């Protein structure tokens, strides 16, 4: 004779089935949440790694390889009046950085170049192609510095440093013409936060940081280098 289940027995089985389903659902939910947590942990670790590491950035222009060069800084007189050493300092540091990182055939030492420009004040009126030919270099790197300041105009109480220039590479020829091989704008700021005053940094710190950032951005175009994943400038 087949076994007959009472109503109470059927209820008991239904209750057990519901319990099993509930436990399985809870286990599945826990597994999904654990997977999400692991994914979030991995994502957070990758993000933290990027924030503290660098990436390799290729050169924008490789036309200096195997060539001789000179660096010429053209700056407004007001900039030179406010920062009397800016032209020779930029000339020296940009020239040296390029010579150290690019396989060039030769370059004019900054002191020799500054002496030549001082003794030939009419250079400012010459086309850059002619100047490159006169200097005897294959490439003339021109930095037309049109902005270099530590404060916003009209506000000397807060730092708002800005350096901006047009960076060009020019090749001269025997006919006195020129070919502009590369050109880009360079623009950097310091400090990154607004509202900084002389109580936070003195003028020397702001000027040095602004100069360093400007030199980085002016020379990185010419050679492969490392940059932070999330650069400040």
């Amino acid at each position: 004779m087949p076994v007959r289940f009472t109503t109470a027995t059927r209820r008991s089985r239904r209750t057990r089935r519901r319990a099993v389903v509930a436990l399985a659902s809870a286990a599945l939910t826990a597994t999904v949440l654990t997977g999400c947590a692991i994914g979030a942990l991995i994502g957070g670790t990758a993000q933290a790694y990027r924030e503290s590491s660098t990436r390799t950035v290729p050169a924008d222009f490789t036309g200096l390889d195997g060539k001789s060069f000179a660096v010429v800084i053209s700056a407004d007189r007001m900039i030179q009046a406010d920062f009397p050493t800016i032209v020779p300092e930029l000339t020296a540091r940009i020239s040296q950085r390029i010579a150290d990182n690019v396989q060039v055939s030769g370059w004019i030492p900054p002191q020799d170049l500054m002496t030549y420009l001082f003794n030939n004040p009419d250079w400012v009126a010459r086309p850059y192609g002619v100047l490159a030919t006169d200097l005897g270099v294959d490439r003339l790197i021109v930095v037309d510095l049109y902005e270099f300041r530590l404060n916003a105009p009209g506000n000397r109480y807060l730092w708002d440093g800005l350096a901006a220039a047009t960076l060009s590479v020019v090749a001269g020829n025997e006919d006195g013409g020129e070919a502009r091989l590369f050109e880009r704008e360079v623009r950097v700021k310091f400090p990154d936060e607004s509202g900084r005053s002389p109580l936070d940094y003195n003028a020397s710190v702001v000027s040095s940081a602004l100069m360093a950032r400007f030199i980085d951005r002016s020379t990185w175009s010419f050679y492969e280098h490392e940059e932070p994943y999330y650069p400040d400038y």
Side-chain angles (χ1 to χ4, degrees):
M1 172 181 288
V3 178
R4 293 182 180 179
F5 298 103
T6 63
T7 303
T9 301
R10 292 192 184 97
R11 288 201 191 103
S12 177
R13 285 204 161 196
R14 284 198 298 270
T15 300
R16 283 198 297 271
R17 282 199 300 270
R18 288 172 182 167
V20 171
V21 171
L23 287 172
S25 177
L28 178 60
T29 300
T31 301
V32 172
L33 290 176
T34 301
C36 291
I38 292 173
L41 177 61
I42 294 173
T45 302
Q47 179 70 11
Y49 171 78
R50 289 191 184 95
E51 290 177 354
S52 61
S53 62
T54 61
R55 61 189 178 95
T56 301
V57 180
D60 296 318
F61 177 76
T62 58
L64 297 182
D65 295 349
K67 306 295 183 180
S68 59
F69 78 93
V71 174
V72 172
I73 310 296
S74 176
D76 184 91
R77 289 186 178 181
M78 290 296 294
I79 294 176
Q80 296 189 60
D82 292 336
F83 304 94
T85 65
I86 194 168
V87 169
E89 185 172 357
L90 284 178
T91 302
R93 294 176 64 180
I94 291 176
S95 298
Q96 190 66 57
R97 178 77 71 86
I98 293 172
D100 288 343
N101 291 279
V102 182
Q103 296 297 317
V104 297
S105 62
W107 58 297
I108 299 181
Q111 187 57 49
D112 294 347
L113 177 65
M114 296 304 299
T115 299
Y116 173 88
L117 297 179
F118 179 80
N119 291 332
N120 296 271
D122 64 329
W123 73 267
V124 296
R126 300 183 208 170
Y128 286 129
V130 173
L131 182 59
T133 302
D134 290 347
L135 290 171
V137 293
D138 300 316
R139 303 288 184 262
L140 188 67
I141 300 170
V142 181
V143 181
D144 183 8
L145 186 68
Y146 57 82
E147 187 89 52
F148 195 93
R149 59 173 171 79
L150 304 186
N151 309 93
N155 186 350
R156 60 187 179 86
Y157 301 104
L158 295 176
W159 299 126
D160 188 24
L162 173 65
T166 301
L167 175 69
S168 307
V169 178
V170 176
N173 57 48
E174 296 178 355
D175 298 328
E178 68 178 44
R180 193 151 297 213
L181 307 178
F182 176 76
E183 184 172 292
R184 64 162 296 184
E185 292 298 309
V186 178
R187 185 181 182 90
V188 297
K189 298 184 68 177
F190 185 84
D192 299 314
E193 313 86 359
S194 60
R196 297 296 186 179
S197 73
L199 296 176
D200 301 297
Y201 315 112
N202 61 35
S204 178
V205 169
V206 178
S207 179
S208 295
L210 193 62
M211 181 85 72
R213 290 184 171 194
F214 182 79
I215 292 168
D216 281 345
R217 283 293 167 201
S218 296
T219 58
W220 279 347
S221 289
F222 304 125
Y223 59 91
E224 182 178 278
H225 58 280
E226 295 294 314
E227 287 188 33
Y229 272 93
Y230 304 105
D232 292 328
Y233 58 96

